Amino acid sequence: MDATDSPSATDSTSATDTTNTTTAAATDDKAPPPQVWPSLRARDARALIRFLVEAFGFEETVVYGEGDRVDHAQLDWPPGGGIMLGSVPEEGAADHVALVPGTFGGYVVTDEPDALYARARAAGAEIIMELTDTDYGSRDFAARDPEGNRWFFGTYRGAPRK
């Protein structure tokens, strides 16, 4: 199973057996509703997971893999949604996803941008855009993680659906 196209699992234990996780997630009443899961790859997935939890407040829900390799991880954003990530495959291994580490960019909604900015800065995140009040009414900042991915945080929730 590939890290970036894997379905979510429902427990927080690390494991290597991902057999039947599709069936388990689809039938578990506690599984999140259908949604978009941005996916990324990392050169050092375990370090990236630690950073995203410490600096930005993601919650580690599942991590599958052995040693330094992460086959699949799900990090949830406490208000909703989350990301999936995994390690870059070993050289020569099949890579049908082929996401380049450090090229991800995402916008994450937060009601507490000032507190999150302080947390990210204290954890060593590289701030690439200081806290800013935008002309569309959002309060935003941006940071880069150790892999080079760009994270934008702010209060803009998007426009209502039609």
Side-chain angles (χ1 to χ4, degrees), residues 117-143:
Y117 172 87
R119 178 182 181 154
R121 183 175 281 288
E126 178 188 354
I127 303 299
I128 56 176
M129 183 180 83
E130 294 293 327
L131 275 166
T132 303
D133 292 318
T134 70
D135 58 359
Y136 51 89
S138 185
R139 184 155 175 80
D140 296 352
F141 76 95

Side-chain angles (χ1 to χ4, degrees), residues 3-4 14 19 29 33 40 44 63 69 88 93-95 98-100 105-106 109 114 119 126-127 141 149 152 158:
T4 54
S14 294
T19 305
D29 290 339
L40 55 149
D44 187 345
V63 177
R69 190 186 80 244
V88 172
D95 187 7
L99 296 172
V100 178
V109 178
D114 292 67
R119 178 182 181 154
E126 178 188 354
I127 303 299
F141 76 95
N149 300 301
F152 301 87

Side-chain angles (χ1 to χ4, degrees), residues 9-117:
T10 57
D11 64 44
S12 61
T13 58
S14 294
T16 56
D17 181 10
T18 58
T19 305
N20 295 324
T21 55
T22 300
T23 302
T27 59
D28 187 335
D29 290 339
K30 295 178 184 175
Q35 57 192 292
V36 175
W37 289 95
S39 301
L40 55 149
R41 288 271 175 89
R43 291 175 205 86
D44 187 345
R46 294 202 185 268
L48 181 59
I49 291 166
R50 285 190 300 273
F51 177 84
L52 295 174
V53 168
E54 180 182 342
F56 299 153
F58 280 91
E59 295 174 349
E60 182 182 311
T61 301
V62 294
V63 177
Y64 295 108
E66 293 182 6
D68 292 336
R69 190 186 80 244
V70 172
D71 296 323
H72 167 72
Q74 175 185 329
L75 304 183
D76 291 323
W77 184 241
I83 61 169
M84 295 183 182
L85 67 99
S87 299
V88 172
E90 294 178 16
E91 190 169 321
D95 187 7
H96 63 276
V97 176
L99 296 172
V100 178
T103 61
F104 173 81
Y107 184 86
V108 181
V109 178
T110 178
D111 291 335
E112 300 176 2
D114 292 67
L116 184 55
Y117 172 87

